[in-house]
Amino acid sequence: LGWDTVWPTLYVINGALLWLTYVAFRLVLFPLWLWLFWRDVQAWPELTWARINAFERYAYASTTVLLLAISTLWFGRITQGLLNAIKPSGRRGTRACGDQAELQNKGD
């Protein structure tokens, strides 16, 4: 879409806000939920573990661990995108510029 060239500052701010919210709502939230679940089961087993069925006991935690693993992988891609957006414009997208230069050379 070319937003990084039309509004480069807004593009970087948007990327930084995505990165910050991703940390808070994915990378902190999931481990926190797992810890709270474990703490509640340890402190009040009769109110937690005893009241849920076997599927819920393991599916809740397994799903959260899976989401945390996927989120960690995505976080690497988001971080790489943010770092690319922060780079000075002369260095950003060097691969695309190289491809354009090749096309120009072929046309000559």
Side-chain angles (χ1 to χ4, degrees), residues 77-96:
R77 304 281 311 258
I78 291 170
T79 301
Q80 188 61 43
L82 177 61
L83 292 175
N84 286 338
I86 293 173
K87 286 181 187 176
S89 61
R91 294 181 56 190
R92 187 183 325 139
T94 54
R95 183 172 158 201

Side-chain angles (χ1 to χ4, degrees), residues 10 23 25 27 29 36 68 74 79 83 86 96 103 105:
L10 187 60
V23 168
F25 295 109
L27 300 183
L29 179 67
L36 289 171
L68 177 60
W74 289 342
T79 301
L83 292 175
I86 293 173
L103 289 174
N105 290 337

Side-chain angles (χ1 to χ4, degrees), residues 26-37 64 68:
R26 289 289 184 152
L27 300 183
V28 172
L29 179 67
F30 292 147
L32 177 63
W33 184 92
L34 288 167
W35 177 75
L36 289 171
F37 184 71
T64 304
L68 177 60

Side-chain angles (χ1 to χ4, degrees), residues 43-65:
W44 304 285
E46 67 284 349
L47 296 175
T48 55
W49 201 252
R51 289 190 177 190
I52 59 176
N53 64 41
F55 176 78
E56 292 173 318
R57 288 177 185 166
Y58 302 104
Y60 291 164
S62 299
T63 301
T64 304
V65 167

